[in-house]
Amino acid sequence: MTEQLFSLQNSIDNQTTLQQFIERLKPLHVILSQNTYVKDMTNRLNRIIEDASSQPIMLFLGKERVGKTTLINSLLGRSLLEDSKNEPTHVNAFIKYGEQECIKAIFLDGMVATFDISKLNLLTVSTNECAEIIREHIDYLEIYIKHDLLKDVTIIDSIGLEVGANNTAYFSQSLLQRVDEVFFVLRAGSSATEDEVNFIKKLNTLGVTANLVINGIDQLDHKVESFIEKEKNVYGEYIGHSVAVSALNALQSRKTNNSQLLIDSRITQLTQLIQNLANNQQKKTRHVVELFINWLERFRKEVELIPFREPYVSAFANVEQYSSDFDLEFTRKQRDLALISAYEEEYASVSNVFKGVQTLYQLLQKLASDLYLRDPLVEKYEEIAVLYQKNVRDYRKLHVDYTMEYARLEKQYKKQTHQNLAFPIPREETQGVFLERINSLNKIQSQLTERLELIGKYEEFVRNNLYVIQNRLNELAKKRLSIIQGQVSDLNIQRKRERTYLKSYADKLTEFNCIIEAQSFLMDAILPYLLEQQLPISEQEKAHIRNTIECICATDLTHQALYKRLNIADTDDLLTQMDIDAKFKLIGLSLTEADILSEIPELPNVIEQ
């Protein structure tokens, strides 16, 4: 039982601030995924969630033929990626941990295709005409291999920097925004060119401090340190850590089992640096927060333009034009109204599920009767709370037994000695039945002591975890309300399919209802969390976030006047009838420690003989 207590406590405590933030964003992604118009913003949000939930992403960046691919191969200890001198890498590849080695190609249209690991050369460097056609449509690759380093990080083998005019270099900014650390790779002996230096400086303006990796130190021998110092004198203030390695020697050492060659390659220093950077949870949290702030600003612009762009404009105009043409059958109307009534009744029940719950006993009764309030964490808490109450009941019963036995002893003692009972009893009087009753009382007292110890252990757990479980139960109730709303949405969709093609314009318009839901979620769930939790956000950023979300919510997509016109022909439209969220507000569970603790009679002392 003690192990179960610790296990549950650890599962609660181990949720980091970043994990809690990501859990808040997931429902927002689900809401937005219902609308194809904001598909790009939905995909961007999903990418933030996925990257934040995965290991830190390390990007190896540099010009062609500086040895990025060879360097990554040396970190992995195998020639995984083709490091052809004639053909550079043509596609960005995310290298992740996987028990089963394979490749996933993510195409520009969002399609995903899986390939055997043997096809890696075809997808990255092959000049085969078929391969080139495939690569034209690939956004990036995900390569899954089994390697311990990848349990901590994801590594990106990138295409080379594109050199532009006026001593500039270019790399995909959208990819840069996804990564947690950048390793800028230089060939040993070849100083960074002006365009590379300018690029490193530009990264700083984007909030990215690159780490410098000098590859090919086997070509410089003892001149390595002087070369690094020379580079730092030019742009050292713009870089973070720096390390010099020989990727070729590292690969060769593993092929020949030459430990000295491995040491001389310094590849283990780079591996250690990567692992140290991967453990910087605060930096990763800050990075995710910055991505979300940028996402919010883009989403604001998208939402503000919706009422002035297609398909919203046409859908709105056509619904106005054809609203008077709808004619629903009477039986269908009765069916849908009955369903609405049933959903409304269930919604009202869930909204009031915690109404009147003022004690732990009442809470346990609710958990036993309402299955939607259950999950593994709640069930563990319930299990221990039941044990707590059972031991309290057992203790009280034993205490009653003790009191009754004590009363019998007291009565019998007074009857035989004509004196009031007082301890210690004279030795000559503790024989026979008196001794029997005293032993019985002490035995009960021992049992009471054992029960009290168990009660203390269970009581501490129930008290310490009350607010965590209480929040979880409120979330489960909210989830159930969302499911009911989803059932209404499904009914609405089914009903629309039964209408004539003219109603398709109204369907297009109602697609934007998820934007309305997203507006509410941002204001009610996201904004308070960002303002109140200990996230790495400045006061200025908090003010900016509040203003951005308020601007998003200021865009009115409800169009109540239009819905009233629709009601002339469609008086039982679910969008207008099912306004249960306004009718019923969830009464949250709000117990205190005093509410859940039981009164326990005082433990009697041992009777000395």
Side-chain angles (χ1 to χ4, degrees):
M1 183 57 63
T2 303
E3 292 180 358
Q4 290 179 341
L5 294 178
F6 285 131
S7 174
L8 177 56
Q9 186 67 55
N10 289 337
S11 66
I12 295 171
D13 294 342
N14 289 339
Q15 278 222 332
T16 65
T17 302
L18 178 58
Q19 289 172 328
Q20 292 172 2
F21 179 46
I22 293 307
E23 289 303 316
R24 293 267 174 167
L25 296 185
K26 287 180 180 178
L28 180 60
H29 172 261
V30 173
I31 292 170
L32 293 177
S33 62
Q34 302 171 51
N35 186 283
T36 56
Y37 179 79
V38 292
K39 182 178 180 180
D40 180 61
M41 294 306 303
T42 306
N43 290 339
R44 287 175 183 271
L45 180 60
N46 187 52
R47 190 167 291 175
I48 292 174
I49 293 171
E50 288 182 349
D51 289 347
S53 303
S54 66
Q55 302 93 337
I57 300 175
M58 309 293 180
L59 169 66
F60 283 80
L61 188 59
K63 287 186 175 179
E64 292 181 357
R65 299 182 177 85
V66 294
K68 299 188 297 296
T69 300
T70 308
L71 188 61
I72 293 173
N73 283 338
S74 68
L75 288 169
L76 301 177
R78 59 188 278 194
S79 297
L80 173 72
L81 304 163
E82 182 68 37
D83 53 358
S84 169
K85 293 182 180 180
N86 298 322
E87 286 297 326
T89 301
H90 293 294
V91 62
N92 295 314
F94 288 66
I95 307 171
K96 302 183 175 185
Y97 182 84
E99 291 289 336
Q100 300 296 325
E101 297 193 346
C102 66
I103 308 165
K104 288 184 180 179
I106 289 78
F107 290 87
L108 295 170
D109 61 359
M111 187 185 81
V112 179
T114 303
F115 298 88
D116 186 78
I117 196 72
S118 61
K119 302 298 182 183
L120 184 56
N121 179 66
L122 176 73
L123 297 172
T124 54
V125 299
S126 173
T127 57
N128 179 285
E129 182 179 356
C130 178
E132 291 179 349
I133 293 174
I134 293 175
R135 283 200 299 267
E136 285 180 5
H137 301 279
I138 290 179
D139 189 6
Y140 59 93
L141 298 177
E142 290 181 351
I143 303 171
Y144 293 86
I145 66 168
K146 191 174 182 179
H147 190 281
D148 286 343
L149 178 61
L150 300 177
K151 291 180 180 179
D152 300 320
V153 298
T154 292
I155 295 175
I156 301 180
D157 183 28
S158 65
I159 60 176
L161 283 179
E162 297 181 22
V163 179
N166 302 320
N167 292 314
T168 60
Y170 171 78
F171 189 78
S172 169
Q173 188 167 336
S174 62
L175 182 54
L176 281 172
Q177 290 177 339
R178 295 184 62 184
V179 305
D180 296 285
E181 294 288 345
V182 173
F183 292 87
F184 196 86
V185 183
L186 278 182
R187 174 69 65 180
S190 299
S191 296
T193 59
E194 186 176 353
D195 55 289
E196 288 177 304
V197 173
N198 289 337
F199 181 77
I200 292 174
K201 292 179 180 179
K202 182 181 178 181
L203 288 179
N204 270 237
T205 65
L206 299 174
V208 178
T209 301
N211 303 291
L212 182 62
V213 181
I214 308 295
N215 184 28
I217 60 174
D218 51 297
Q219 303 297 319
L220 289 184
D221 297 329
H222 60 281
K223 300 178 182 179
V224 174
E225 303 305 327
S226 60
F227 176 77
I228 295 176
E229 192 63 31
K230 176 184 175 184
E231 293 299 297
K232 285 186 176 181
N233 288 337
V234 178
Y235 50 90
E237 63 183 296
Y238 298 102
I239 62 174
H241 301 277
S242 60
V243 60
V245 300
S246 171
L248 286 175
N249 281 354
L251 280 174
Q252 187 63 27
S253 70
R254 289 186 167 97
K255 291 179 182 177
T256 60
N257 291 322
N258 188 330
S259 57
Q260 186 58 49
L261 192 60
L262 180 63
I263 294 172
D264 293 340
S265 72
R266 304 188 189 180
I267 198 66
T268 53
Q269 296 179 21
L270 178 57
T271 302
Q272 186 61 52
L273 174 60
I274 291 173
Q275 291 174 330
N276 290 342
L277 294 173
N279 291 327
N280 192 340
Q281 186 70 19
Q282 185 175 6
K283 183 176 181 180
K284 183 176 180 66
T285 302
R286 174 60 191 172
H287 177 62
V288 173
V289 168
E290 288 176 347
L291 290 178
F292 182 69
I293 292 174
N294 292 334
W295 180 90
L296 268 180
E297 184 60 35
R298 293 176 66 103
F299 185 59
R300 177 187 67 80
K301 296 176 182 177
E302 287 276 354
V303 172
E304 288 177 342
L305 289 173
I306 286 175
F308 309 102
R309 284 185 173 177
E310 296 293 350
Y312 188 87
V313 173
S314 295
F316 182 80
N318 282 287
V319 166
E320 283 189 306
Q321 177 182 351
Y322 295 112
S323 61
S324 60
D325 295 337
F326 297 120
D327 184 20
L328 297 178
E329 298 177 3
F330 177 77
T331 54
R332 186 177 300 169
K333 175 180 177 180
Q334 295 304 308
R335 176 203 67 185
D336 293 343
L337 287 176
L339 286 171
I340 290 172
S341 178
Y343 287 138
E344 186 172 37
E345 182 178 345
E346 184 182 2
Y347 197 98
S349 173
V350 176
S351 298
N352 291 283
V353 66
F354 297 125
K355 185 177 181 180
V357 175
Q358 299 178 347
T359 65
L360 182 61
Y361 176 75
Q362 291 171 338
L363 175 60
L364 293 176
Q365 285 185 311
K366 283 293 179 185
L367 296 182
S369 61
D370 296 290
L371 298 181
Y372 61 85
L373 293 176
R374 309 183 70 82
D375 73 356
L377 198 64
V378 172
E379 288 175 356
K380 284 293 182 184
Y381 185 85
E382 178 190 29
E383 176 185 348
I384 296 168
V386 168
L387 288 172
Y388 168 65
Q389 293 207 320
K390 178 183 181 301
N391 279 276
V392 168
R393 289 194 300 272
D394 292 345
Y395 180 89
R396 288 172 175 166
K397 183 177 181 301
L398 282 170
H399 200 279
V400 170
D401 293 343
Y402 184 93
T403 302
M404 294 176 63
E405 181 69 15
Y406 189 92
R408 284 192 288 268
L409 172 62
E410 190 174 35
K411 181 178 180 181
Q412 187 173 14
Y413 184 85
K414 189 171 184 179
K415 180 179 180 180
Q416 292 187 19
T417 65
H418 305 289
Q419 298 178 13
N420 291 326
L421 178 64
F423 298 106
I425 298 176
R427 198 157 191 75
E428 62 273 9
E429 297 178 5
T430 59
Q431 304 302 314
V433 69
F434 290 149
L435 179 60
E436 229 177 85
R437 291 199 181 280
I438 290 173
N439 289 337
S440 176
L441 285 169
N442 285 338
K443 182 178 179 181
I444 298 175
Q445 196 275 346
S446 177
Q447 294 173 340
L448 285 168
T449 302
E450 292 176 1
R451 290 291 176 185
L452 194 60
E453 289 177 357
L454 283 174
I455 289 170
K457 181 176 68 172
Y458 296 138
E459 180 182 287
E460 181 181 7
F461 175 85
V462 170
R463 184 178 63 252
N464 290 344
N465 293 282
L466 169 64
Y467 297 105
V468 173
I469 295 301
Q470 188 162 261
N471 290 337
R472 177 63 66 89
L473 288 171
N474 286 331
E475 289 175 3
L476 290 172
K478 290 177 183 177
K479 180 180 178 182
R480 184 60 185 174
L481 293 178
S482 297
I483 290 174
I484 298 172
Q485 290 176 326
Q487 291 170 329
V488 175
S489 177
D490 291 341
L491 177 61
N492 199 29
I493 292 172
Q494 176 184 345
R495 177 173 174 164
K496 288 172 185 174
R497 288 174 180 167
E498 297 169 348
R499 299 177 184 177
T500 64
Y501 74 96
L502 293 178
K503 192 65 174 67
S504 64
Y505 294 116
D507 291 343
K508 179 59 68 175
L509 192 62
T510 55
E511 281 187 24
F512 292 91
N513 286 343
C514 71
I515 307 298
I516 302 171
E517 188 178 352
Q519 290 171 322
S520 298
F521 189 83
L522 283 168
M523 181 62 72
D524 299 337
I526 300 297
L527 181 59
Y529 183 82
L530 293 176
L531 297 182
E532 296 169 7
Q533 295 300 314
Q534 297 301 313
L535 289 166
I537 306 176
S538 68
E539 292 302 319
Q540 183 178 0
E541 287 173 324
K542 288 181 179 180
H544 175 70
I545 290 170
R546 179 188 292 277
N547 180 66
T548 303
I549 292 180
E550 286 176 350
C551 289
I552 292 171
C553 295
T555 300
D556 184 11
L557 300 174
T558 57
H559 296 290
Q560 293 300 325
L562 172 61
Y563 289 146
K564 288 179 181 178
R565 286 195 294 274
L566 278 174
N567 286 341
I568 296 173
D570 190 12
T571 54
D572 63 328
D573 194 295
L574 300 184
L575 295 175
T576 56
Q577 291 290 323
M578 195 63 178
D579 195 16
I580 53 178
D581 191 40
K583 292 181 181 179
F584 308 105
K585 296 296 182 182
L586 175 64
I587 299 175
L589 181 64
S590 57
L591 295 174
T592 65
E593 294 177 17
D595 296 329
I596 65 169
L597 300 184
S598 301
E599 291 185 7
I600 302 174
E602 185 177 351
L603 178 70
N605 295 323
V606 176
I607 300 175
E608 300 293 340
Q609 299 183 34

